[in-house]
Amino acid sequence: IMLITLSADSKDAVLNALKGRIDNGGAAGSIKIYTGTKPAGPGTAITNQVLLGTLALSYPCGAVADGALTFDPITQDSQADATGTATWARIFDSAGNAKIDVDASVTGGSGFMQMNTTSVIINGPILINSCVITA
């Protein structure tokens, strides 16, 4: 694995570009939460992963500062589509174009997207407490 190191202003520029892609279309995007192994990237098709639910992002989706894109409040899904353990999520723009995949964890865990619980029950609520993408 090769790593790069960006200056503070370059980190913010990269994250602002990502934010612009999520906010593309002039309306709120969405975040879909899945079970299973996260695919290679947002261009990779979903195979055996189960969609647990879809949540609406704010518009704009958030703000960039100090090398982090912090998402504004994300509207909960009041009725989960399936039962399972949330392990990752795919973020879409308002036109339904996949932009980024992120890991999920409970609050205080290591995931970019943190939930009150990763144990989702069909017809139950799904709540994302925070989503922060860092560069």
Side-chain angles (χ1 to χ4, degrees):
I1 295 175
M2 297 184 65
L3 299 174
I4 61 171
T5 304
L6 299 173
S7 65
D9 63 329
S10 294
K11 289 177 186 179
D12 286 354
V14 167
L15 291 168
N16 272 310
L18 176 59
K19 179 185 171 299
R21 301 297 294 174
I22 295 168
D23 288 338
N24 188 36
S30 62
I31 185 164
K32 295 184 177 192
I33 300 174
Y34 293 92
T35 65
T37 303
K38 184 173 68 169
T44 304
I46 304 299
T47 56
N48 61 346
Q49 299 90 340
V50 175
L51 174 64
L52 297 173
T54 303
L55 294 81
L57 299 175
S58 294
Y59 179 78
C61 68
V64 173
D66 301 322
L69 167 55
T70 302
F71 284 75
D72 286 340
I74 299 168
T75 303
Q76 82 171 14
D77 182 338
S78 60
Q79 289 192 308
D81 299 338
T83 296
T85 301
T87 55
W88 67 281
R90 182 163 280 175
I91 299 172
F92 297 84
D93 66 13
S94 63
N97 300 304
K99 297 300 173 185
I100 186 170
D101 292 344
V102 297
D103 293 325
S105 71
V106 295
T107 301
S110 61
F112 288 103
M113 179 188 74
Q114 298 194 358
M115 306 170 67
N116 63 326
T117 179
T118 56
S119 297
V120 176
I121 306 297
I122 191 167
N123 296 323
I126 302 174
L127 177 64
I128 297 173
N129 291 335
S130 70
C131 189
V132 179
I133 298 170
T134 57

